[in-house]
């Protein structure tokens, strides 16, 4: 089968990415209002898709005059050629044994699974196409560098899911696919309600999973949302500091894109609108810059493969939270739909249940024995309410009307095995729940 080849030629990428920009505002670290776009796909795409992607990348030919003149600082940055940018971003070199082992597996012609796990940035929000998102570009690097391997790509990014919700969905959206290399992105998706050691738990469970995968952390930047709405660009806060401490504790490499890009912005090498489409989401140029930092590290591992040990370091001990957590959707649990529609797409964000205005007949989901049940839904896509009943208790989801997309969660703290019933009273719009999240 033909595989998608990498398109990381500096001049072509520079010229195709410089003009990318813009999109609608989505979510923040306090309550991310992000568009969800998670996808699970193989890197073996059709010839038509491959041709389309290549055509876009080489849409403008570099003239002889342009190719001979020295590049400006901005051009070097956008072409992925700025060494200082990489040196600033690599804040923790970490242990590369697990990543090296994934490369050895690929080198031997095996099947290697690459994954990104995060929020709407990882899902590819504001990239012009999914093939322009940083996860796909990193996947392209693996395909290009290991042509004899079968490279599969898992996009486990879902908008508006912060660290705690990531812990709930980690098994079904990520670990069940037995990844070999995982990029973790939650610096701009960290909420006050997240457990203090939730991010550490993500790293610990991933490192301890079946294929002993290599893990890399990346910290994306954001602006101050309030200032951005007033036309002013100022640095926003992220949870990169605490997450970097976790990366160091677990000895995994960490890329601080947030730190490195703001240094360039403050030096007036580049502006925020040139690398982002709104106050938080990268455009194609921003996605490419993130991918170039990651693949720069991967190049270093590949070039030193023969010198790197095959024995991974021990995983730091600690409490393994959410070890029994599950995300139930129509893909993995039975239900009586009533007036609801089952969402069974291949994308993680395209799974769940939905109903439109006028729906009356309830949804019934038969759950196994569990101690806690959480419902994650889109609070702004509808007006009205949906009531959830289980074990004699009822809680209600209220619609957010036309407000920006804001995720909502409901929780049963002492649930037992039995039927979860969702009774709709939606007066307009569409109610969507992205699954039932449980602990047993």
């Amino acid at each position: 089968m033909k595989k998608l080849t990498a398109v990381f030629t500096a001049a072509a990428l520079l010229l195709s990415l410089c003009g990318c920009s813009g999109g609608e505002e989505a979510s923040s670290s306090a309550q991310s209002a992000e568009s969800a776009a998670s996808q699970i796909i193989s890197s073996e795409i059709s010839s038509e898709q491959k041709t389309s992607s290549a055509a876009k990348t080489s849409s403008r030919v570099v003239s002889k005059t342009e190719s001979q003149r020295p590049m400006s600082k901005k051009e070097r940055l956008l072409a992925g050629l700025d060494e200082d940018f990489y040196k600033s971003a690599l804040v923790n070199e970490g242990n590369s044994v697990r990543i090296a082992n994934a490369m050895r597996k690929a080198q031997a012609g095996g099947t290697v699974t690459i994954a990104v796990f995060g929020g709407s940035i990882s899902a590819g929000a504001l990239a012009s196409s999914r093939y322009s998102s940083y996860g796909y570009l990193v996947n392209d690097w693996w395909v290009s560098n290991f042509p004899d391997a079968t490279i599969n790509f898992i996009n486990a990014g879902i908008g508006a899911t912060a660290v705690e919700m990531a812990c709930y969905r980690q098994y079904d959206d990520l670990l069940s696919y037995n990844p070999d290399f995982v990029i973790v992105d939650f610096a701009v998706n960290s909420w006050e309600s997240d457990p203090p050691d939730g991010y550490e738990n993500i790293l610990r469970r991933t490192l301890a999973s079946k294929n002993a995968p290599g893990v890399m952390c990346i910290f994306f930047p954001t602006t101050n949302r309030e200032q951005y709405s007033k036309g002013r660009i100022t640095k926003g806060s992220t949870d990169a500091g605490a997450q970097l401490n976790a990366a160091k504790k677990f000895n995994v490499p960490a890329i601080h894109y947030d730190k490195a890009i703001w240094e360039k912005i403050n030096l007036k090498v580049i502006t925020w609108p040139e690398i982002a489409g709104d106050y938080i989401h990268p455009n194609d140029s921003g996605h490419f810059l993130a991918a170039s930092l990651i693949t720069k590290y991967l190049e270093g591992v590949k070039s030193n493969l023969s010198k790197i040990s095959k024995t991974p370091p021990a995983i730091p001990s600690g409490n393994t939270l959410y070890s029994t957590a599950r995300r139930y959707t129509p893909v993995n649990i039975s239900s009586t739909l009533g007036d609801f529609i089952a969402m069974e797409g291949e994308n993680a964000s395209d799974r769940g249940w939905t109903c439109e205005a006028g729906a009356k007949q309830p949804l019934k989901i038969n759950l196994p024995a569990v101690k806690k049940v959480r419902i994650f839904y889109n609070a702004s896509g509808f007006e009205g309410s949906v009531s959830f009943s289980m074990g004699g208790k009822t809680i209600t989801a209220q619609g957010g009307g036309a407000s920006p997309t804001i995720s909502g969660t409901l929780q049963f703290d002492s649930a037992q095995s039995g039927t979860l019933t969702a009774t709709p009273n939606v007066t307009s719009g569409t109610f969507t729940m992205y699954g039932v999240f449980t602990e047993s």
Side-chain angles (χ1 to χ4, degrees), residues 123-368:
L126 296 196
S128 61
S129 78
R130 61 184 183 177
Y131 304 111
S132 298
S133 65
Y134 85 90
Y136 261 95
L137 295 176
V138 172
N139 183 68
D140 290 352
W141 182 92
W142 283 84
V143 171
S144 177
N145 279 270
F146 302 102
D148 295 329
T150 298
I151 307 295
N152 294 319
F153 179 54
I154 306 297
N155 190 325
I158 299 183
T161 53
V163 169
E164 184 179 27
M165 192 57 68
C167 291
Y168 273 98
R169 65 185 187 86
Q170 186 172 8
Y171 174 77
D172 288 284
D173 290 355
L174 176 68
L175 301 184
S176 63
Y177 297 95
N178 299 320
D180 297 282
F181 175 59
V182 179
I183 303 167
V184 180
D185 147 47
F186 286 102
V188 297
N189 286 69
S190 183
W191 301 350
E192 291 180 2
S193 60
D194 287 332
D197 47 1
Y199 190 79
E200 286 193 9
N201 184 75
I202 290 173
L203 298 184
R204 182 180 291 107
R205 287 188 70 194
T206 303
L207 291 168
S209 62
K210 182 179 178 180
N211 286 354
V215 174
M216 175 180 284
C217 302
I218 185 166
F219 313 133
F220 278 93
T222 182
T223 63
N224 180 293
R225 186 177 186 180
E226 183 179 353
Q227 294 298 313
Y228 185 88
S229 67
K230 298 175 181 178
R232 294 191 288 269
I233 306 294
T234 59
K235 189 179 186 306
S237 61
T238 73
D239 201 33
Q243 293 181 10
L244 174 57
N245 289 337
K248 289 179 177 178
K249 177 178 178 177
F250 286 84
N251 206 12
V252 299
I255 297 293
H256 209 317
Y257 179 33
D258 178 23
K259 169 179 173 287
I261 198 63
W262 277 105
E263 288 174 356
K264 296 299 180 182
I265 291 172
N266 291 335
L267 290 171
K268 302 189 185 306
V269 172
I270 200 165
T271 65
W272 179 262
E274 289 174 307
I275 53 94
D278 62 9
Y279 79 101
I280 193 170
H281 298 101
N283 58 23
D284 282 11
S285 293
H287 277 284
F288 168 70
L289 287 175
S292 70
L293 294 171
I294 295 166
T295 57
K296 179 78 170 178
Y297 183 91
L298 296 178
E299 289 284 359
V301 175
K302 183 173 182 283
S303 64
N304 289 285
L305 209 53
S306 62
K307 303 174 185 178
I308 299 174
S309 168
K310 296 181 181 179
T311 305
I315 302 170
S317 60
N319 295 327
T320 302
L321 307 174
Y322 305 96
S323 60
T324 62
R326 295 294 306 273
R327 178 195 181 199
Y328 289 111
T329 68
V331 173
N332 58 9
I333 198 167
S334 62
S335 61
T336 302
L337 293 175
D339 287 336
F340 281 74
I341 298 170
M343 299 163 56
E344 300 179 272
E346 68 173 9
N347 300 350
S349 59
D350 292 334
R351 298 179 198 146
W353 293 269
T354 186
C355 70
E356 297 182 348
K360 297 296 182 183
Q361 296 302 312
L363 165 71
K364 296 183 179 181
I365 304 169
N366 299 314
L367 292 174

